[in-house]
Amino acid sequence: MALMITDECINCDVCEPECPNDAISQGEEIYVIAADLCTECIGHHEVSQCVEVCPVDCIILNPDIVETEAQLHEKYLALGNV
């Protein structure tokens, strides 16, 4: 699954620079994650870096976008990561 940021986001700015796929950006009110770029850090790190650094635990799995680890790895490769 891609990740998403809930409205508990406090705009602390720590998640955006941690994303290896540049999937996180400032939205109208809070940060947002582009699902087409989010691989949950598969291929880059053992754990999702944005989740690791979020001080309010507002980054969760997006229930509307179900992806297996294999699909996330395919996305990682399709994004030009080798």
Side-chain angles (χ1 to χ4, degrees):
M1 294 185 185
L3 298 171
M4 65 181 281
I5 299 175
T6 66
D7 59 2
E8 285 91 25
C9 176
I10 58 172
N11 289 307
C12 67
D13 303 322
V14 298
C15 62
E16 183 180 24
E18 296 300 318
C19 183
N21 295 323
D22 295 323
I24 302 174
S25 62
Q26 180 64 51
E28 286 188 33
E29 295 182 26
I30 61 172
Y31 278 89
V32 295
I33 297 177
D36 59 326
L37 298 176
C38 179
T39 62
E40 295 181 46
C41 290
I42 287 184
H44 293 285
H45 303 282
E46 293 291 317
V47 296
S48 300
Q49 297 301 286
C50 59
V51 173
E52 285 290 299
V53 299
C54 181
V56 293
D57 297 325
C58 68
I59 304 173
I60 62 171
L61 292 173
N62 186 333
D64 297 329
I65 304 173
V66 178
E67 295 172 299
T68 65
E69 187 171 330
Q71 289 171 314
L72 291 168
H73 190 261
E74 290 280 328
K75 190 190 306 184
Y76 162 80
L77 295 174
L79 291 170
N81 297 301
V82 180

